Amino acid sequence: MLTSDLKLGIIAGGQLGKMLIQEASKWGIHSYILDECETAPAVSIATVFIKGNYKEFEPVYQFGKMVDILTFEVENVNIEALKKLKSEGFKIYPDPFVIEIVQDKGLQKLFYRKNDISTVPFKLFEGINGIKKALKSNEIKIPFVQKLRRGGYDGRGIVIINSEKELNQLLVGASLIEEKANIYKEISVIAARNANGEIKCYPVVEMIFNSNANLLDSLICPSDILKEQADDAIKIATRIIESLDMAGILAVEFFIDNNGKLFVNELAPRPHNSGHHTIESIMTSQFEQHLRAILNLPLGSTELKMSSVMINITGDKDLSEVINYRGLTRIMEIDGVKIHLYGKKTVRPHRKMGHITILANNLELALRNLQKVKHILKYKP
Amino acid sequence: MLTSDLKLGIIAGGQLGKMLIQEASKWGIHSYILDECETAPAVSIATVFIKGNYKEFEPVYQFGKMVDILTFEVENVNIEALKKLKSEGFKIYPDPFVIEIVQDKGLQKLFYRKNDISTVPFKLFEGINGIKKALKSNEIKIPFVQKLRRGGYDGRGIVIINSEKELNQLLVGASLIEEKANIYKEISVIAARNANGEIKCYPVVEMIFNSNANLLDSLICPSDILKEQADDAIKIATRIIESLDMAGILAVEFFIDNNGKLFVNELAPRPHNSGHHTIESIMTSQFEQHLRAILNLPLGSTELKMSSVMINITGDKDLSEVINYRGLTRIMEIDGVKIHLYGKKTVRPHRKMGHITILANNLELALRNLQKVKHILKYKP
């Protein structure tokens, strides 16, 4: 039930935490943030900021005891502290068990296998020696993808090995090896589930890649895939969130191969980059839905209000570029441009500094406006 | 131009300030709140809270010097401090001159007269004796409406005199007397203007009254008035904001009499109760539009995303009732119900504790869902 003066603890103060507070404050919820950094994006609007390292036991344990309900905007949280809090009766959503699976790409893969969920075939390895042995015995074959089981995100902790020469790029640590898939498209579905077992999924989002640089270009909603594929993706996301018995929202990233087959790629049991458009384009934003889910409230409608395209504003490779404010001001003239700046103090290559959602009555117009937006932002006076 | 780390000063920490921060934080703006009360709604998400009485010179003057740009969510601000800040080159939007006019219903009326804006005929009085003399000499006639020039809001500072017997209810202080109009409908238009002179108006909102209790029941958008009346209202709102040469948003309340004629009733140069639905139902919310206007950014589209009905959640007359949280939880099951709770600590009769916006693809469905919402909220277990 919704109540007044609820204390919501959010672990980490990044942009996801910030956007969660923007929604939580609409219900009079008091948001507590745990983060090491006092200039993290969410801190500027947190009711209470607690400085601490969420990878360590003590800060997480003490933080959990301060709040009525604990949730996350990152996965790499000290799991022992979460388990102890849970054993003492504190409310943690999603459950530490889900966080534990998601922290480890190997456990994720084993979970898919156990639950008969379509994913690219894989093998687990302790280190580089094992991988080399498996290559010799033809258990795995070049080309392949190596993913570290822990710690990787936003393209880190992943390497693609296309030839024997590239074997020196193998990453050190426990990892999994996957066949290199022929990726036709990448899509994402955000599912929500509350403790009552109610489940709702958002419309499928399609990631559009820049084919030259293989960089994420934009995310579009609704996606341009076959209806049967979209239905299938939603069915799989529903099965996963049900199998995890979780309360909260879960982003499920898929790819579709050249034969049109769906493969689950990765899970994130929290608000997700592929759901930012929901703030303006869907009846219930992913952040409100996460709150409804963890508070065991009825889930909100995921009906589309408008079509949308979303792009991230990221730090440039050479670090010399900061946010193009003059360009941002100019793109505000285009109807339906919604700008989000996270307020991060330092720019790093590929670091997400903000995002832009472009709304329109149809996707064609949104995509045309995207071209205008990109043209203006590229030009820096 | 939009920049990073802008310090926005907001005078007063009520729900309007809170909703303004929710939007400002999306652009990485740091919000400073000046209010006497540390539990005011906006304080829970303000970046910086400064405790002080905004009716006094010194707190306003010192606060204005801390921020990059100063704006308001109330009108009864110390005007001398604003003028001094302006004379020293600080940025204040809307201009103190506009605040000064709006603080005084008499000056508002004189402004309408000077600018040939349709309003109910009026006379200004210093006190009750003058009113009684004017009655004797037939300059004014019962029935009439008395409005105190200063300090009234939300129904306070206004009295309707229907008979000689009721003359003992006359209010003490400088006031204006208006003919009692035959009100057919009440509507509102929110206009926005930036320093470049760009102007945009929102679709007309219609206030629906409970005919038994003469209490505001709900606000609907789009309104159910003639297209010519809507066009007219938007034209008048445009003329007013232009005549005031103001930067910011301006709510213009009108009534339509039994002959279909429009009369301007009141102005509010700030986000307004009649614009709350814009958060979810319009391409650009009134709060984002206010920021665009005061920062001299291009104004955003005022295109309708969905039809909406808005109701306030107010304190009950007998003070015994608090917010019906169980009911709120139940109405969340209805698609398109968006709940806003302001987080006020004490309930007073008619005090605005929150609001609910009901979205739907058409107004008929929104109104049907409104009946469901009201039915559930009325029932308290």
Side-chain angles (χ1 to χ4, degrees):
Chain A
M1 199 171 89
L2 202 58
T3 60
S4 76
D5 289 337
L6 184 94
K7 289 177 198 153
L8 172 69
I10 303 170
I11 289 189
Q15 64 267 23
L16 300 170
K18 184 179 186 183
M19 291 185 269
L20 190 58
I21 297 177
Q22 284 161 358
E23 289 292 328
S25 71
K26 292 182 183 167
W27 290 348
I29 292 172
H30 291 231
S31 296
Y32 286 54
I33 288 286
L34 175 70
D35 202 293
E36 259 197 311
C37 174
E38 52 268 273
T39 61
V43 177
S44 67
I45 55 166
T47 311
V48 177
F49 165 62
I50 303 291
K51 190 178 160 81
N53 184 342
Y54 51 79
K55 294 174 190 167
E56 293 171 4
F57 180 90
E58 205 54 29
V60 172
Y61 180 62
Q62 294 305 333
F63 184 70
K65 293 203 287 186
M66 276 179 204
V67 296
D68 297 319
I69 178 167
L70 189 61
T71 193
F72 318 93
E73 62 120 52
V74 292
E75 289 106 25
N76 51 342
V77 181
N78 186 287
I79 203 82
E80 300 313 319
L82 297 182
K83 286 180 177 173
K84 182 153 170 65
L85 286 165
K86 192 190 168 189
S87 74
E88 292 175 10
F90 289 97
K91 289 184 190 166
I92 306 172
Y93 298 104
D95 194 276
F97 147 80
V98 174
I99 305 296
E100 203 168 14
I101 289 181
V102 171
Q103 281 181 348
D104 181 338
K105 288 198 172 78
L107 289 183
Q108 266 190 61
K109 282 292 215 179
L110 294 170
F111 168 81
Y112 304 144
R113 187 178 278 168
K114 187 181 153 205
N115 289 278
D116 203 22
I117 289 157
S118 169
T119 188
V120 175
F122 68 98
K123 286 205 158 57
L124 301 181
F125 293 92
E126 289 302 314
I128 292 177
N129 283 342
I131 297 172
K132 289 189 171 166
K133 263 187 221 165
L135 272 169
K136 271 189 196 152
S137 63
N138 276 327
E139 276 179 84
I140 56 172
K141 275 175 198 159
I142 289 170
F144 64 79
V145 181
Q146 183 199 19
K147 295 180 180 173
L148 288 183
R149 290 181 62 164
R150 293 178 162 274
Y153 72 98
D154 275 357
R156 275 176 276 184
I158 295 186
V159 67
I160 303 175
I161 304 295
N162 289 301
S163 68
E164 289 212 17
K165 267 206 298 196
E166 289 176 8
L167 283 174
N168 60 348
Q169 291 172 31
L170 279 173
L171 303 168
V172 174
S175 69
L176 64 95
I177 301 292
E178 277 180 356
E179 288 174 18
K180 191 184 166 194
N182 289 306
I183 299 176
Y184 168 61
K185 278 192 173 178
E186 296 194 35
I187 60 168
S188 161
V189 171
I190 295 180
R193 184 172 180 274
N194 63 20
N196 283 347
E198 191 191 1
I199 295 178
K200 279 196 177 156
C201 290
Y202 283 91
V204 175
V205 164
E206 181 177 341
M207 289 132 181
I208 307 291
F209 285 83
N210 178 323
S211 49
N212 296 323
N214 199 32
L215 281 175
L216 181 67
D217 177 280
S218 54
L219 292 95
I220 64 172
C221 183
S223 63
D224 183 32
I225 60 172
L226 298 175
K227 191 183 174 306
E228 303 85 71
Q229 290 173 331
D231 290 349
D232 224 30
I234 285 171
K235 250 183 243 164
I236 295 172
T238 302
R239 255 181 55 215
I240 295 177
I241 202 166
E242 213 153 31
S243 305
L244 289 170
D245 190 28
M246 74 170 268
I249 63 173
L250 178 75
V252 183
E253 290 186 83
F254 298 83
F255 62 83
I256 305 178
D257 76 2
N258 288 333
N259 300 317
K261 193 167 157 26
L262 284 170
F263 297 86
V264 172
N265 191 26
E266 216 168 287
L267 303 179
R270 50 162 173 80
H272 190 255
N273 200 209
S274 66
H276 288 354
H277 66 103
T278 60
I279 297 172
E280 294 97 357
S281 78
I282 303 267
M283 194 82 109
T284 309
S285 82
Q286 65 165 342
F287 301 98
E288 179 182 339
Q289 196 76 305
H290 186 67
L291 293 172
R292 286 180 182 242
I294 65 176
L295 296 172
N296 200 19
L297 295 167
L299 298 180
S301 161
T302 55
E303 189 190 328
L304 207 70
K305 283 175 171 176
M306 302 195 91
S307 297
S308 69
V309 179
M310 197 281 291
I311 54 170
N312 290 318
I313 303 171
T314 53
D316 266 15
K317 261 175 290 187
D318 59 7
L319 279 184
S320 67
E321 299 286 2
V322 287
I323 291 170
N324 177 358
Y325 287 105
R326 198 172 297 276
L328 286 182
T329 300
R330 278 189 56 210
I331 65 170
M332 285 187 168
E333 286 174 24
I334 302 167
D335 282 353
V337 167
K338 313 305 289 184
I339 295 170
H340 294 254
L341 300 176
Y342 304 148
K344 293 180 185 174
K345 297 296 161 202
T346 47
V347 186
R348 285 197 300 263
H350 306 303
R351 191 176 200 201
K352 290 173 186 153
M353 304 302 291
H355 76 263
I356 299 170
T357 300
I358 301 161
L359 302 172
N361 284 320
N362 56 70
L363 198 55
E364 291 65 41
L365 178 56
L367 286 167
R368 274 206 304 283
N369 284 340
L370 170 69
Q371 294 315 314
K372 287 190 203 168
V373 165
K374 288 204 290 191
H375 181 79
I376 294 168
L377 288 183
K378 216 185 289 174
Y379 170 78
K380 310 201 181 185
Chain B
M1 200 171 87
L2 201 59
T3 59
S4 76
D5 288 338
L6 183 94
K7 290 177 196 153
L8 172 69
I10 303 168
I11 290 188
Q15 65 266 24
L16 300 170
K18 183 179 185 182
M19 290 185 269
L20 190 57
I21 297 177
Q22 284 161 357
E23 290 292 327
S25 70
K26 292 182 184 169
W27 290 348
I29 293 172
H30 290 230
S31 296
Y32 287 54
I33 288 285
L34 176 69
D35 203 293
E36 259 196 310
C37 173
E38 53 268 273
T39 61
V43 176
S44 67
I45 55 166
T47 310
V48 177
F49 165 61
I50 304 290
K51 191 177 160 82
N53 185 340
Y54 51 79
K55 294 176 189 167
E56 292 171 5
F57 180 90
E58 205 54 31
V60 172
Y61 180 61
Q62 294 305 333
F63 184 70
K65 292 203 287 187
M66 276 178 206
V67 295
D68 298 319
I69 178 166
L70 189 61
T71 193
F72 318 93
E73 61 120 52
V74 294
E75 290 105 26
N76 51 341
V77 181
N78 186 288
I79 202 81
E80 300 312 321
L82 297 182
K83 285 180 177 171
K84 184 154 170 64
L85 286 165
K86 192 191 167 187
S87 74
E88 293 175 11
F90 290 96
K91 289 184 190 167
I92 306 172
Y93 299 104
D95 195 276
F97 146 82
V98 174
I99 305 296
E100 202 168 15
I101 289 181
V102 172
Q103 281 182 347
D104 180 339
K105 288 198 172 76
L107 290 182
Q108 266 190 61
K109 282 292 217 178
L110 294 170
F111 168 82
Y112 303 145
R113 186 180 280 168
K114 187 182 152 207
N115 289 279
D116 203 21
I117 288 157
S118 169
T119 188
V120 175
F122 68 97
K123 285 206 158 57
L124 300 181
F125 293 93
E126 290 300 316
I128 293 177
N129 283 341
I131 296 172
K132 289 189 171 166
K133 264 187 218 163
L135 272 170
K136 271 188 197 152
S137 63
N138 275 330
E139 276 179 83
I140 57 173
K141 275 175 197 159
I142 291 172
F144 63 79
V145 181
Q146 182 198 20
K147 296 180 180 173
L148 288 182
R149 289 182 62 163
R150 293 176 162 277
Y153 73 98
D154 275 357
R156 274 176 275 184
I158 296 187
V159 67
I160 303 175
I161 304 294
N162 289 301
S163 67
E164 288 213 19
K165 267 206 298 195
E166 290 176 5
L167 282 173
N168 60 349
Q169 291 171 30
L170 279 173
L171 303 168
V172 175
S175 68
L176 63 94
I177 301 292
E178 278 181 354
E179 288 173 18
K180 190 184 166 193
N182 289 306
I183 299 177
Y184 168 60
K185 277 191 172 177
E186 297 194 35
I187 60 168
S188 161
V189 171
I190 294 179
R193 184 173 180 274
N194 63 21
N196 283 348
E198 190 192 1
I199 296 176
K200 279 194 178 158
C201 290
Y202 283 91
V204 175
V205 165
E206 181 176 341
M207 289 131 180
I208 307 290
F209 285 84
N210 177 325
S211 50
N212 296 323
N214 199 34
L215 281 175
L216 180 67
D217 176 280
S218 54
L219 291 95
I220 64 172
C221 183
S223 63
D224 183 33
I225 61 172
L226 298 174
K227 189 184 175 304
E228 302 84 71
Q229 291 173 330
D231 291 348
D232 224 33
I234 284 171
K235 251 184 241 161
I236 294 172
T238 302
R239 256 181 54 215
I240 295 176
I241 202 166
E242 211 153 34
S243 305
L244 289 170
D245 190 27
M246 75 170 266
I249 63 173
L250 179 75
V252 184
E253 290 186 84
F254 298 83
F255 62 82
I256 305 178
D257 75 1
N258 288 333
N259 300 316
K261 193 167 158 22
L262 284 170
F263 297 87
V264 172
N265 190 26
E266 216 167 287
L267 302 179
R270 52 163 172 79
H272 190 253
N273 199 209
S274 67
H276 288 354
H277 66 103
T278 60
I279 296 172
E280 294 97 358
S281 78
I282 303 267
M283 195 83 107
T284 310
S285 82
Q286 66 165 342
F287 300 98
E288 178 181 340
Q289 196 76 305
H290 186 67
L291 293 172
R292 287 179 181 243
I294 65 176
L295 296 172
N296 199 21
L297 295 167
L299 298 180
S301 161
T302 55
E303 189 189 327
L304 208 68
K305 284 175 171 177
M306 303 196 89
S307 297
S308 68
V309 179
M310 198 280 291
I311 54 170
N312 290 318
I313 303 171
T314 54
D316 267 16
K317 261 176 290 186
D318 60 8
L319 279 183
S320 66
E321 298 287 1
V322 287
I323 291 170
N324 177 359
Y325 288 104
R326 197 172 297 275
L328 286 181
T329 300
R330 277 189 56 209
I331 64 170
M332 284 188 169
E333 287 174 23
I334 303 167
D335 282 352
V337 167
K338 312 305 289 185
I339 295 170
H340 294 254
L341 300 176
Y342 305 148
K344 293 180 184 175
K345 298 294 163 202
T346 48
V347 186
R348 286 196 299 264
H350 307 304
R351 191 175 200 202
K352 290 172 187 154
M353 305 302 291
H355 75 264
I356 299 169
T357 299
I358 301 160
L359 302 172
N361 284 320
N362 57 70
L363 200 54
E364 291 66 40
L365 177 56
L367 286 167
R368 272 206 306 281
N369 284 340
L370 170 69
Q371 293 315 315
K372 287 190 205 170
V373 164
K374 288 204 289 193
H375 180 78
I376 294 169
L377 288 182
K378 215 185 289 173
Y379 170 78
K380 311 202 183 185

